[in-house]
Amino acid sequence: MPPQYCITGNIGSGKTTVAREFERYGIPVYYADLAAKRLMTEDGALRAALVDRFGKNTYVDGELNRAHLAAVAFADTASLNDLNALVHPAVFRDGAAWRLRQSLAPYTLYEAAIILELGRRNDFSGVIVVHAPEGERMRRVVLRDGATPEQFAARAAKQWPDARKVAAADYLINNRGTDLLLPQILRLHAALL
C-alpha cells in the first residue's frame, strides 16, 4: 500500500486548492469533509446515530437538515464532540477502504481540516500543513461562504491556533497570497515520490 500523507490547514488556508493541484499530477486525494457529507446521507448506521443524538429534525424528507444539525451541534463543545465522535470514525473507515483501492499510486493524500485536533497524526506517513495568515483566511472565507467575520472567528476557534498547526507540520506550504503555490507543490511532490 502506498504511503499516505495528511494535508491539513485551518479554515480558509487553501488546503483544498493545494490538494487539487496534487491531483493534476496523478495523486489520489481523499476529501474527508466531502466524504462526511456523503456518509451522513448514505450510511444508515450513521444516520440512525445522528437522529438518536440530535433529534428527528436532523433529516427532513430523507435529506440531511444541515441548518438544524449545525445549530444543535455547534451550540456547545459537548455537542460538537458528540458529532465528531459519530462522524469521524465513519469517515476514517471509508477513507481506509478508499486507500486500499489506490494501490498503484506512488502516495495518497487525505485532506482534512481537524486531523491533528483529533489526534490522528500517527495514521499518516507525514503531515502537510497549508498555512495562510488569519486575516487572509478570514477574507477568503467571507468571500467564499458569505460568512461574517464573527462566523469565521467561531469556526476558526474550533481549530488549533496557526502557530501550533505550523509547528506540527512535517511539510509546510505557504499560501499567503504572495508566495507562488505551484513551485512549492512541485518541490514537495518530487520529495514525496
Side-chain angles (χ1 to χ4, degrees):
M1 189 159 22
Q4 184 170 50
Y5 297 88
C6 174
I7 185 163
T8 190
N10 283 337
I11 183 173
S13 63
K15 64 191 166 298
T16 302
T17 298
V18 170
R20 287 186 182 134
E21 286 298 316
F22 277 95
E23 282 185 302
R24 289 180 44 186
Y25 296 98
I27 301 305
V29 179
Y30 183 84
Y31 294 94
D33 288 347
L34 290 176
K37 290 173 185 168
R38 175 178 51 79
L39 291 168
M40 284 190 283
T41 299
E42 296 175 0
D43 183 313
L46 177 57
R47 286 174 65 110
L50 289 170
V51 169
D52 186 52
R53 171 57 180 89
F54 297 106
K56 63 181 175 157
N57 292 332
T58 303
Y59 293 88
V60 174
D61 296 326
E63 295 295 320
L64 181 64
N65 182 350
R66 294 184 195 286
H68 167 77
L69 185 59
V72 187
F74 287 94
D76 58 75
T77 302
S79 294
L80 182 58
N81 289 341
D82 288 348
L83 177 64
N84 286 334
L86 293 171
V87 173
H88 288 290
V91 172
F92 289 127
R93 284 190 303 274
D94 187 68
W98 170 88
R99 185 177 178 208
L100 289 174
R101 297 188 300 272
Q102 312 306 319
S103 61
L104 299 178
Y107 64 90
T108 64
L109 294 177
Y110 186 103
E111 189 258 6
I114 60 169
I115 203 75
L116 296 171
E117 291 85 339
L118 293 172
R120 302 298 297 240
R121 175 190 190 89
N122 292 334
D123 293 350
F124 302 95
S125 300
V127 174
I128 303 163
V129 171
V130 180
H131 175 261
E134 185 175 3
E136 177 62 18
R137 293 188 299 105
M138 181 174 68
R139 184 189 70 76
R140 290 173 185 164
V141 171
V142 167
L143 285 173
R144 179 188 75 197
D145 300 344
T148 65
E150 294 77 20
Q151 290 168 323
F152 166 82
R155 290 170 67 186
K158 307 285 187 218
Q159 300 176 330
W160 281 5
D162 287 338
R164 184 174 181 191
K165 202 161 264 191
V166 167
D170 295 306
Y171 308 96
L172 183 66
I173 293 181
N174 285 305
N175 190 19
R176 296 181 280 238
T178 57
D179 301 296
L180 293 175
L181 279 178
L182 194 53
Q184 296 179 76
I185 291 166
L186 289 173
R187 279 193 302 272
L188 181 52
H189 177 59
L192 297 180
L193 287 174

